Amino acid sequence: METVSENKCFGGVQGVYTHASKATGCDMTFGLFLPEEARDGPVPVLWYLSGLTCTHENAMVKAGAQGWAAEQGIALVFPDTSPRGEGVADDDAYDLGQGAGFYVNATQAPWAPHFNMWDYVAEELPALLGGKFPLDMERQAITGHSMGGHGALTLAMGLPGRFRSASAFSPICHPTSSDWGRKQMSAYLGEDEGLWRRHDATLMMREAGFDGPLLIDIGTDDQFYDLLKPEALADAMALRRQTSQMRLQPGYDHSYFFVSSFMEDHVAFHAEALYG
Amino acid sequence: METVSENKCFGGVQGVYTHASKATGCDMTFGLFLPEEARDGPVPVLWYLSGLTCTHENAMVKAGAQGWAAEQGIALVFPDTSPRGEGVADDDAYDLGQGAGFYVNATQAPWAPHFNMWDYVAEELPALLGGKFPLDMERQAITGHSMGGHGALTLAMGLPGRFRSASAFSPICHPTSSDWGRKQMSAYLGEDEGLWRRHDATLMMREAGFDGPLLIDIGTDDQFYDLLKPEALADAMALRRQTSQMRLQPGYDHSYFFVSSFMEDHVAFHAEALYG
């Protein structure tokens, strides 16, 4: 693992690190914010998964999360959204290939074997983080935006016991019934839609739900609202009696201006679960 | 004036607008954050001047200022740092030409007649803003980062009575004695160093000071510390008995991670002056 940069930030350190990944077969870069308290021992961890076209960097500089995390003594992890590099397949579309890993393990050419973002975020990166940094991996929470909100919800439900709480900003809620989902699942996982079910928050909510609290914020002026399908997930949560809040925020859109407006609430929400 | 974008943000609106500028002879773009209170009438204004290589956008997305401005009911203006476009002179160096206007009116070719950033920020943009938006131009304050900190301090001192308070993050404090300054003043203003004196915060502090409170933050690990010359300004402020705080923040560097870490303090500082 190599250090790309470390900046003092809100009393802690915002680092960027790169490492050779087995899961994706390429170098991967991630951001990690450690609050001041990490000097004295392991701190709880909040994962932030990013959306289409993002790298590890976007949320790190635009989501305004570090100040709130510092206040709560929580670390933040910002993974990249796909494998990258010359040997890695890509597509001209912004919503497929590099920058659009969708947090699945691809089985189809040309995406296999590099596009294993599920294994990367669920297994390889946590093992690396737990070994190298003062993080309490018994206290993890997860959030994300858009495609990363989809990732946060599906990882939270797909790994029972791993995360104490989960939240999402403008998540893709029901990808198997959306143009933001069907195209990518078909490309990455092939045509057997049975395999897609483990990567659809609405279907997973219908099946088993999440063993912790959920917080979801979506702006009513989100320009991609129809692609997100929040109504399907809201329905599934109500049927499940899932401990959850879904908030439709008047006037907000899909941007980081929306994410940053409600980041304080999300960090406080996770802090309650992580310290509770 | 044309609207480029408007995003709801912390209950208010983050807008970006473009207009044909007489001062610079080209189209200019600026960001304006209006808090929710602006719906009911004019609100006070805090200017944020940016540093080398920046456009109107960097601080708008990275400084984390909107949340604090919303809390205080203050508008934020984010001007660009130079004229731009095909007919506008430029230089291969990052610290001269486009993105490096230094908040002066150039008298020398090839920079005249476009590089009139002093007139743009001191006269033309305030007149436009006061006419088009619910802003109380009797209550203005100014801040900035690096080259923009230089701009904030020199505009504050050069326009007595205009700004109630001024602050700066990592400002260029004494450009007439620094490589960040001598090169640009020579290029824009020519070799008569007498003309440079109106654009050097340390020299202006020695001559007349500022008729309001000053807050200056600089990180002790700033990689450009030697170019900023804070010691010269600190000396001048002490001699002048200027109402001021200069804080040398241990471990912080020149980045927006530093700026965002102390933005709350700066906005609160200006709010006290604007509402006092």
Side-chain angles (χ1 to χ4, degrees):
Chain A
M1 196 183 72
E2 276 178 41
T3 300
V4 176
S5 62
E6 290 184 329
N7 299 81
K8 188 164 178 181
C9 182
F10 287 101
V13 177
Q14 176 62 60
V16 175
Y17 308 92
T18 188
H19 66 108
S21 162
K22 277 193 187 173
T24 64
C26 66
D27 285 348
M28 295 293 289
T29 302
F30 64 92
L32 173 67
F33 171 76
L34 287 177
E36 196 172 7
E37 288 81 352
R39 288 186 211 153
D40 303 324
V43 294
V45 188
L46 175 58
W47 293 74
Y48 183 104
L49 303 185
S50 289
L52 290 166
T53 77
C54 290
T55 68
H56 66 284
E57 194 184 16
N58 303 64
M60 211 179 85
V61 301
K62 297 202 294 186
Q66 293 97 336
W68 306 119
E71 200 167 291
Q72 303 283 0
I74 293 173
L76 298 167
V77 186
F78 304 99
D80 202 348
T81 59
S82 78
R84 297 184 189 271
E86 285 203 4
V88 176
D90 203 356
D91 190 276
D92 285 341
Y94 75 97
D95 60 358
L96 192 67
Q98 296 187 33
F102 258 78
Y103 307 100
V104 303
N105 294 331
T107 59
Q108 307 295 304
W111 312 109
H114 290 293
F115 281 73
N116 293 314
M117 287 304 291
W118 180 279
D119 281 353
Y120 178 68
V121 173
E123 306 301 337
E124 186 179 29
L125 187 52
L128 179 76
L129 292 170
K132 300 266 189 192
F133 296 97
L135 301 172
D136 178 357
M137 303 309 278
E138 297 300 311
R139 287 187 292 166
Q140 297 186 61
I142 192 163
T143 187
H145 174 228
S146 194
M147 175 184 76
H150 146 77
L153 296 173
T154 55
L155 280 152
M157 288 187 271
L159 299 167
R162 171 78 61 93
F163 300 103
R164 295 201 184 178
S165 50
S167 77
F169 302 87
S170 330
I172 298 174
C173 298
H174 194 19
T176 63
S177 77
S178 169
D179 286 343
W180 269 2
R182 294 192 64 81
K183 168 185 173 178
Q184 293 83 358
M185 296 217 180
S186 168
Y188 295 143
L189 302 174
E191 298 305 326
D192 177 1
E193 295 194 19
L195 299 175
W196 302 7
R197 300 185 64 82
R198 286 181 302 167
H199 300 285
D200 183 302
T202 294
L203 299 180
M204 295 170 85
M205 180 59 64
R206 285 183 194 157
E207 266 178 40
F210 175 59
D211 52 352
L214 273 184
L215 169 62
I216 296 168
D217 274 318
I218 305 179
T220 60
D221 283 9
D222 193 310
Q223 55 271 49
F224 305 108
Y225 200 97
D226 290 345
L227 292 164
L228 302 179
K229 310 278 180 199
E231 66 281 4
L233 180 57
D235 175 87
M237 290 196 305
L239 280 174
R240 164 78 37 205
R241 303 184 189 191
Q242 170 72 44
T243 302
S244 62
Q245 293 178 63
M246 178 181 287
R247 307 189 303 186
L248 305 179
Q249 304 282 10
Y252 288 90
D253 60 27
H254 199 71
S255 68
Y256 271 94
F257 295 113
F258 166 61
V259 173
S260 63
S261 296
F262 295 98
M263 183 56 75
E264 181 181 11
D265 291 358
H266 284 244
V267 174
F269 164 80
H270 290 295
E272 200 176 341
L274 291 167
Y275 289 113
Chain B
M1 196 185 72
E2 277 178 42
T3 300
V4 177
S5 62
E6 291 185 329
N7 299 82
K8 188 165 179 181
C9 182
F10 286 101
V13 177
Q14 177 62 60
V16 176
Y17 309 93
T18 187
H19 67 110
S21 162
K22 278 193 187 173
T24 63
C26 65
D27 286 348
M28 294 293 290
T29 302
F30 64 92
L32 173 67
F33 172 74
L34 287 176
E36 195 172 9
E37 288 81 352
R39 289 188 211 153
D40 302 323
V43 294
V45 188
L46 174 59
W47 294 73
Y48 183 104
L49 303 185
S50 289
L52 290 165
T53 77
C54 289
T55 68
H56 65 284
E57 193 184 16
N58 303 62
M60 210 180 87
V61 302
K62 296 202 294 186
Q66 292 98 337
W68 305 118
E71 199 167 290
Q72 303 282 0
I74 294 173
L76 298 167
V77 186
F78 303 99
D80 202 348
T81 58
S82 79
R84 296 183 190 272
E86 285 204 3
V88 176
D90 202 0
D91 190 275
D92 286 342
Y94 75 97
D95 59 358
L96 192 67
Q98 296 188 31
F102 258 77
Y103 307 99
V104 302
N105 294 331
T107 58
Q108 306 296 304
W111 312 111
H114 289 293
F115 281 73
N116 293 315
M117 288 303 291
W118 180 278
D119 281 354
Y120 178 69
V121 174
E123 305 302 336
E124 186 177 31
L125 188 52
L128 179 77
L129 292 170
K132 300 267 189 192
F133 297 97
L135 300 173
D136 178 358
M137 303 309 277
E138 297 300 311
R139 287 187 292 165
Q140 297 186 62
I142 193 163
T143 186
H145 174 227
S146 194
M147 176 184 75
H150 146 76
L153 296 173
T154 55
L155 280 152
M157 288 187 270
L159 300 167
R162 172 76 61 91
F163 300 104
R164 295 200 184 180
S165 50
S167 76
F169 302 86
S170 331
I172 298 174
C173 298
H174 193 20
T176 63
S177 77
S178 169
D179 286 342
W180 269 3
R182 295 192 63 82
K183 169 184 174 178
Q184 293 84 359
M185 298 218 178
S186 168
Y188 295 143
L189 302 175
E191 297 306 326
D192 177 1
E193 296 195 20
L195 300 174
W196 302 6
R197 299 185 64 82
R198 287 181 302 167
H199 300 285
D200 184 301
T202 294
L203 298 180
M204 296 172 84
M205 180 58 65
R206 285 183 194 159
E207 265 177 39
F210 174 59
D211 52 353
L214 274 185
L215 169 63
I216 296 168
D217 274 319
I218 305 178
T220 61
D221 283 8
D222 193 309
Q223 57 271 48
F224 305 109
Y225 200 97
D226 290 345
L227 292 165
L228 304 178
K229 310 277 181 199
E231 66 282 3
L233 181 56
D235 175 86
M237 292 196 303
L239 279 174
R240 165 76 39 204
R241 302 185 190 191
Q242 170 71 45
T243 301
S244 62
Q245 293 180 63
M246 178 181 286
R247 307 189 304 187
L248 304 181
Q249 304 283 10
Y252 288 90
D253 58 30
H254 199 71
S255 68
Y256 272 94
F257 294 113
F258 165 61
V259 173
S260 63
S261 296
F262 295 98
M263 183 56 76
E264 180 181 12
D265 291 357
H266 284 244
V267 174
F269 163 79
H270 291 294
E272 196 174 319
L274 291 167
Y275 290 111

